[in-house]
Amino acid sequence: MFLPIKNDDFIKELLKKEEGQTLDFKKTISDCYKIAKTLVAFANTSGGIIAIGISDQKKITGIDPEEEIFMIEKASRDFCHPQIAFSIEVYEIDYLEEEQLDEEICIVIITVPKAQFKHYLKEKSGKLISYIRDKDESLPEINPSS
């Protein structure tokens, strides 16, 4: 269980930023395999932040934090080799675009540090593939020696 943080200024600053090398907005996590690819790419590149509960259009949609945390932990455990160490913060928001809400909604911030060693995505076939972040995409790393 996570104690929600209230920091409207942090959320407002986050929403001013564009998705890219170190930031990815996710409305929700619907696929552990796909989010594992983002975790691996951030770890192998510069690190980054995954903001869950915010759409690509920067609309705060809110999520069930426990469900999203379960999905991201499962993604790291099942598809990242080795597992990715990341931090989790749950933010509670009671405004949307200066409008007071009747009830708080939550977003989850996953912070992935730059890894000291290479991480791989475990394909469903068992093959390990390294991913890197290029702008706002997670791409397979091309190995020039192969």
Short mmCIF file of all heavy atoms in Angstrom, two decimals, residues 68-104:
data_model
loop_
_atom_site.label_atom_id
_atom_site.label_comp_id
_atom_site.label_asym_id
_atom_site.label_seq_id
_atom_site.Cartn_x
_atom_site.Cartn_y
_atom_site.Cartn_z
N GLU A 68 -2.37 -0.88 -11.34
CA GLU A 68 -1.26 -0.46 -12.20
C GLU A 68 0.09 -0.89 -11.62
O GLU A 68 0.98 -1.32 -12.35
CB GLU A 68 -1.29 1.05 -12.43
CG GLU A 68 -2.57 1.55 -13.06
CD GLU A 68 -2.93 0.90 -14.38
OE1 GLU A 68 -2.04 0.68 -15.22
OE2 GLU A 68 -4.11 0.59 -14.58
N ILE A 69 0.24 -0.79 -10.31
CA ILE A 69 1.48 -1.22 -9.65
C ILE A 69 1.66 -2.73 -9.82
O ILE A 69 2.76 -3.20 -10.11
CB ILE A 69 1.49 -0.78 -8.17
CG1 ILE A 69 1.61 0.75 -8.10
CG2 ILE A 69 2.63 -1.47 -7.41
CD1 ILE A 69 1.32 1.34 -6.73
N PHE A 70 0.58 -3.48 -9.66
CA PHE A 70 0.63 -4.92 -9.88
C PHE A 70 1.13 -5.22 -11.30
O PHE A 70 2.00 -6.07 -11.50
CB PHE A 70 -0.76 -5.54 -9.66
CG PHE A 70 -0.84 -6.98 -10.08
CD1 PHE A 70 -0.38 -7.99 -9.25
CD2 PHE A 70 -1.35 -7.33 -11.33
CE1 PHE A 70 -0.43 -9.33 -9.65
CE2 PHE A 70 -1.41 -8.66 -11.74
CZ PHE A 70 -0.95 -9.66 -10.89
N MET A 71 0.58 -4.52 -12.30
CA MET A 71 0.95 -4.76 -13.70
C MET A 71 2.42 -4.42 -13.97
O MET A 71 3.11 -5.17 -14.66
CB MET A 71 0.04 -3.96 -14.64
CG MET A 71 -1.41 -4.40 -14.64
SD MET A 71 -1.68 -6.00 -15.40
CE MET A 71 -1.62 -5.54 -17.13
N ILE A 72 2.91 -3.31 -13.44
CA ILE A 72 4.30 -2.92 -13.71
C ILE A 72 5.27 -3.86 -13.01
O ILE A 72 6.31 -4.22 -13.56
CB ILE A 72 4.55 -1.43 -13.37
CG1 ILE A 72 5.82 -0.93 -14.06
CG2 ILE A 72 4.66 -1.17 -11.90
CD1 ILE A 72 5.58 -0.01 -15.19
N GLU A 73 4.94 -4.29 -11.80
CA GLU A 73 5.80 -5.25 -11.09
C GLU A 73 5.81 -6.59 -11.82
O GLU A 73 6.85 -7.23 -11.93
CB GLU A 73 5.35 -5.40 -9.64
CG GLU A 73 5.68 -4.17 -8.81
CD GLU A 73 5.15 -4.21 -7.39
OE1 GLU A 73 4.22 -5.01 -7.10
OE2 GLU A 73 5.66 -3.44 -6.56
N LYS A 74 4.65 -7.02 -12.31
CA LYS A 74 4.55 -8.27 -13.07
C LYS A 74 5.37 -8.15 -14.36
O LYS A 74 6.08 -9.09 -14.75
CB LYS A 74 3.09 -8.59 -13.38
CG LYS A 74 2.88 -9.87 -14.18
CD LYS A 74 1.39 -10.20 -14.29
CE LYS A 74 1.06 -11.37 -15.14
NZ LYS A 74 1.94 -12.52 -15.10
N ALA A 75 5.30 -7.01 -15.03
CA ALA A 75 6.07 -6.79 -16.26
C ALA A 75 7.56 -6.95 -16.01
O ALA A 75 8.27 -7.63 -16.76
CB ALA A 75 5.77 -5.40 -16.83
N SER A 76 8.06 -6.34 -14.94
CA SER A 76 9.48 -6.43 -14.62
C SER A 76 9.88 -7.86 -14.27
O SER A 76 10.89 -8.38 -14.73
CB SER A 76 9.83 -5.49 -13.47
OG SER A 76 11.20 -5.60 -13.14
N ARG A 77 9.05 -8.52 -13.49
CA ARG A 77 9.33 -9.88 -13.02
C ARG A 77 9.29 -10.89 -14.17
O ARG A 77 10.14 -11.75 -14.30
CB ARG A 77 8.32 -10.25 -11.93
CG ARG A 77 8.55 -11.54 -11.23
CD ARG A 77 7.57 -11.77 -10.09
NE ARG A 77 6.17 -11.66 -10.50
CZ ARG A 77 5.33 -10.69 -10.15
NH1 ARG A 77 5.75 -9.70 -9.37
NH2 ARG A 77 4.08 -10.66 -10.56
N ASP A 78 8.28 -10.77 -15.04
CA ASP A 78 8.05 -11.79 -16.07
C ASP A 78 8.78 -11.54 -17.39
O ASP A 78 9.06 -12.49 -18.11
CB ASP A 78 6.54 -11.90 -16.38
CG ASP A 78 5.74 -12.45 -15.21
OD1 ASP A 78 6.35 -12.87 -14.19
OD2 ASP A 78 4.50 -12.45 -15.30
N PHE A 79 9.08 -10.28 -17.72
CA PHE A 79 9.60 -9.99 -19.06
C PHE A 79 10.94 -9.24 -19.09
O PHE A 79 11.51 -9.08 -20.17
CB PHE A 79 8.57 -9.22 -19.88
CG PHE A 79 7.32 -9.99 -20.15
CD1 PHE A 79 6.14 -9.68 -19.49
CD2 PHE A 79 7.32 -11.04 -21.05
CE1 PHE A 79 4.98 -10.40 -19.73
CE2 PHE A 79 6.17 -11.78 -21.30
CZ PHE A 79 4.99 -11.45 -20.63
N CYS A 80 11.44 -8.76 -17.97
CA CYS A 80 12.71 -8.03 -17.96
C CYS A 80 13.81 -8.93 -17.40
O CYS A 80 13.64 -9.56 -16.36
CB CYS A 80 12.61 -6.77 -17.11
SG CYS A 80 11.38 -5.59 -17.71
N HIS A 81 14.93 -8.98 -18.12
CA HIS A 81 16.05 -9.81 -17.68
C HIS A 81 17.32 -8.98 -17.66
O HIS A 81 17.74 -8.52 -18.72
CB HIS A 81 16.23 -11.01 -18.62
CG HIS A 81 17.35 -11.90 -18.20
ND1 HIS A 81 17.27 -12.74 -17.13
CD2 HIS A 81 18.60 -12.03 -18.69
CE1 HIS A 81 18.42 -13.37 -16.98
NE2 HIS A 81 19.25 -12.96 -17.92
N PRO A 82 17.94 -8.76 -16.51
CA PRO A 82 17.37 -9.02 -15.18
C PRO A 82 16.23 -8.05 -14.89
O PRO A 82 16.00 -7.11 -15.64
CB PRO A 82 18.55 -8.81 -14.25
CG PRO A 82 19.47 -7.88 -14.98
CD PRO A 82 19.26 -8.16 -16.44
N GLN A 83 15.54 -8.28 -13.77
CA GLN A 83 14.43 -7.40 -13.40
C GLN A 83 14.92 -5.96 -13.30
O GLN A 83 16.07 -5.72 -12.95
CB GLN A 83 13.82 -7.82 -12.06
CG GLN A 83 13.00 -9.09 -12.13
CD GLN A 83 12.27 -9.37 -10.83
OE1 GLN A 83 11.76 -8.45 -10.20
NE2 GLN A 83 12.23 -10.63 -10.44
N ILE A 84 14.03 -5.03 -13.59
CA ILE A 84 14.36 -3.61 -13.52
C ILE A 84 14.04 -3.10 -12.11
O ILE A 84 12.95 -3.35 -11.59
CB ILE A 84 13.52 -2.80 -14.54
CG1 ILE A 84 13.67 -3.37 -15.94
CG2 ILE A 84 13.84 -1.32 -14.46
CD1 ILE A 84 14.87 -2.99 -16.71
N ALA A 85 14.98 -2.38 -11.51
CA ALA A 85 14.73 -1.72 -10.23
C ALA A 85 14.16 -0.34 -10.54
O ALA A 85 14.77 0.44 -11.26
CB ALA A 85 16.04 -1.60 -9.45
N PHE A 86 12.99 -0.05 -10.04
CA PHE A 86 12.36 1.26 -10.27
C PHE A 86 11.70 1.72 -8.99
O PHE A 86 11.46 0.93 -8.08
CB PHE A 86 11.34 1.19 -11.42
CG PHE A 86 10.32 0.09 -11.27
CD1 PHE A 86 9.21 0.25 -10.46
CD2 PHE A 86 10.48 -1.12 -11.94
CE1 PHE A 86 8.28 -0.77 -10.32
CE2 PHE A 86 9.57 -2.14 -11.81
CZ PHE A 86 8.45 -1.96 -10.99
N SER A 87 11.39 3.01 -8.92
CA SER A 87 10.67 3.53 -7.76
C SER A 87 9.24 3.87 -8.19
O SER A 87 8.97 4.15 -9.36
CB SER A 87 11.37 4.76 -7.17
OG SER A 87 11.40 5.81 -8.10
N ILE A 88 8.34 3.81 -7.22
CA ILE A 88 6.92 4.04 -7.46
C ILE A 88 6.43 5.14 -6.53
O ILE A 88 6.70 5.10 -5.33
CB ILE A 88 6.10 2.76 -7.17
CG1 ILE A 88 6.58 1.59 -8.03
CG2 ILE A 88 4.61 3.01 -7.34
CD1 ILE A 88 6.01 0.25 -7.61
N GLU A 89 5.72 6.11 -7.10
CA GLU A 89 5.05 7.14 -6.30
C GLU A 89 3.62 7.25 -6.80
O GLU A 89 3.37 7.24 -8.00
CB GLU A 89 5.74 8.49 -6.44
CG GLU A 89 7.13 8.52 -5.85
CD GLU A 89 7.84 9.84 -6.10
OE1 GLU A 89 7.77 10.36 -7.23
OE2 GLU A 89 8.47 10.33 -5.16
N VAL A 90 2.69 7.36 -5.86
CA VAL A 90 1.28 7.54 -6.18
C VAL A 90 0.93 8.98 -5.82
O VAL A 90 1.18 9.43 -4.70
CB VAL A 90 0.39 6.56 -5.39
CG1 VAL A 90 -1.09 6.82 -5.69
CG2 VAL A 90 0.75 5.11 -5.72
N TYR A 91 0.38 9.70 -6.80
CA TYR A 91 -0.05 11.08 -6.58
C TYR A 91 -1.57 11.16 -6.60
O TYR A 91 -2.21 10.54 -7.45
CB TYR A 91 0.52 12.01 -7.68
CG TYR A 91 1.98 12.30 -7.49
CD1 TYR A 91 2.94 11.40 -7.92
CD2 TYR A 91 2.40 13.47 -6.87
CE1 TYR A 91 4.30 11.65 -7.72
CE2 TYR A 91 3.75 13.73 -6.68
CZ TYR A 91 4.69 12.82 -7.11
OH TYR A 91 6.02 13.08 -6.92
N GLU A 92 -2.09 11.93 -5.65
CA GLU A 92 -3.53 12.15 -5.57
C GLU A 92 -3.81 13.55 -6.09
O GLU A 92 -3.15 14.51 -5.69
CB GLU A 92 -3.94 12.03 -4.10
CG GLU A 92 -5.38 11.73 -3.88
CD GLU A 92 -5.62 11.41 -2.41
OE1 GLU A 92 -5.49 12.33 -1.58
OE2 GLU A 92 -5.93 10.25 -2.11
N ILE A 93 -4.77 13.65 -6.97
CA ILE A 93 -5.08 14.93 -7.62
C ILE A 93 -6.52 15.28 -7.32
O ILE A 93 -7.42 14.45 -7.50
CB ILE A 93 -4.86 14.82 -9.14
CG1 ILE A 93 -3.40 14.46 -9.41
CG2 ILE A 93 -5.26 16.10 -9.85
CD1 ILE A 93 -3.14 13.95 -10.78
N ASP A 94 -6.75 16.51 -6.88
CA ASP A 94 -8.13 16.92 -6.63
C ASP A 94 -8.52 18.14 -7.47
O ASP A 94 -9.45 18.85 -7.17
CB ASP A 94 -8.37 17.17 -5.14
CG ASP A 94 -7.39 18.15 -4.53
OD1 ASP A 94 -6.67 18.83 -5.29
OD2 ASP A 94 -7.34 18.24 -3.29
N TYR A 95 -7.77 18.35 -8.54
CA TYR A 95 -8.10 19.41 -9.49
C TYR A 95 -7.84 18.89 -10.90
O TYR A 95 -7.06 17.97 -11.10
CB TYR A 95 -7.23 20.66 -9.27
CG TYR A 95 -5.87 20.49 -9.91
CD1 TYR A 95 -5.62 20.97 -11.19
CD2 TYR A 95 -4.86 19.79 -9.27
CE1 TYR A 95 -4.40 20.76 -11.80
CE2 TYR A 95 -3.64 19.58 -9.87
CZ TYR A 95 -3.42 20.06 -11.13
OH TYR A 95 -2.20 19.84 -11.74
N LEU A 96 -8.49 19.45 -11.86
CA LEU A 96 -8.18 19.22 -13.27
C LEU A 96 -8.34 20.56 -13.96
O LEU A 96 -9.43 21.12 -13.97
CB LEU A 96 -9.14 18.21 -13.91
CG LEU A 96 -8.86 16.73 -13.65
CD1 LEU A 96 -9.89 15.87 -14.36
CD2 LEU A 96 -7.48 16.33 -14.11
N GLU A 97 -7.23 21.07 -14.52
CA GLU A 97 -7.26 22.36 -15.21
C GLU A 97 -7.98 23.42 -14.38
O GLU A 97 -8.95 24.03 -14.82
CB GLU A 97 -7.88 22.20 -16.60
CG GLU A 97 -7.05 21.29 -17.48
CD GLU A 97 -7.77 20.88 -18.76
OE1 GLU A 97 -8.67 21.61 -19.20
OE2 GLU A 97 -7.40 19.83 -19.30
N GLU A 98 -7.49 23.58 -13.16
CA GLU A 98 -8.01 24.59 -12.22
C GLU A 98 -9.45 24.34 -11.77
O GLU A 98 -10.07 25.21 -11.19
CB GLU A 98 -7.87 26.01 -12.81
CG GLU A 98 -6.50 26.36 -13.32
CD GLU A 98 -5.39 26.15 -12.30
OE1 GLU A 98 -5.58 26.39 -11.11
OE2 GLU A 98 -4.30 25.71 -12.72
N GLU A 99 -9.98 23.17 -12.06
CA GLU A 99 -11.36 22.85 -11.67
C GLU A 99 -11.30 21.87 -10.50
O GLU A 99 -10.60 20.87 -10.54
CB GLU A 99 -12.06 22.21 -12.88
CG GLU A 99 -13.36 21.55 -12.57
CD GLU A 99 -13.86 20.73 -13.77
OE1 GLU A 99 -13.52 21.07 -14.91
OE2 GLU A 99 -14.58 19.76 -13.52
N GLN A 100 -12.01 22.18 -9.42
CA GLN A 100 -12.06 21.30 -8.26
C GLN A 100 -12.85 20.04 -8.61
O GLN A 100 -13.87 20.11 -9.30
CB GLN A 100 -12.81 22.03 -7.15
CG GLN A 100 -12.22 22.27 -5.79
CD GLN A 100 -10.80 21.95 -5.50
OE1 GLN A 100 -9.87 22.53 -6.05
NE2 GLN A 100 -10.58 21.04 -4.60
N LEU A 101 -12.38 18.90 -8.17
CA LEU A 101 -13.07 17.64 -8.42
C LEU A 101 -13.87 17.22 -7.20
O LEU A 101 -13.53 17.59 -6.07
CB LEU A 101 -12.05 16.53 -8.75
CG LEU A 101 -11.20 16.74 -10.00
CD1 LEU A 101 -10.15 15.64 -10.09
CD2 LEU A 101 -12.06 16.74 -11.24
N ASP A 102 -14.90 16.44 -7.41
CA ASP A 102 -15.70 15.94 -6.30
C ASP A 102 -14.94 14.89 -5.50
O ASP A 102 -15.14 14.75 -4.31
CB ASP A 102 -17.02 15.33 -6.82
CG ASP A 102 -17.92 16.39 -7.44
OD1 ASP A 102 -17.78 17.58 -7.09
OD2 ASP A 102 -18.76 16.02 -8.28
N GLU A 103 -14.08 14.15 -6.17
CA GLU A 103 -13.28 13.14 -5.48
C GLU A 103 -11.88 13.14 -6.08
O GLU A 103 -11.68 13.52 -7.23
CB GLU A 103 -13.91 11.77 -5.59
CG GLU A 103 -14.08 11.28 -7.02
CD GLU A 103 -14.79 9.94 -7.11
OE1 GLU A 103 -15.82 9.78 -6.45
OE2 GLU A 103 -14.28 9.08 -7.83
N GLU A 104 -10.90 12.70 -5.28
CA GLU A 104 -9.53 12.65 -5.76
C GLU A 104 -9.37 11.53 -6.78
O GLU A 104 -10.03 10.50 -6.69
CB GLU A 104 -8.55 12.41 -4.61
CG GLU A 104 -8.33 13.61 -3.73
CD GLU A 104 -9.27 13.64 -2.54
OE1 GLU A 104 -10.01 12.66 -2.34
OE2 GLU A 104 -9.25 14.64 -1.82
#
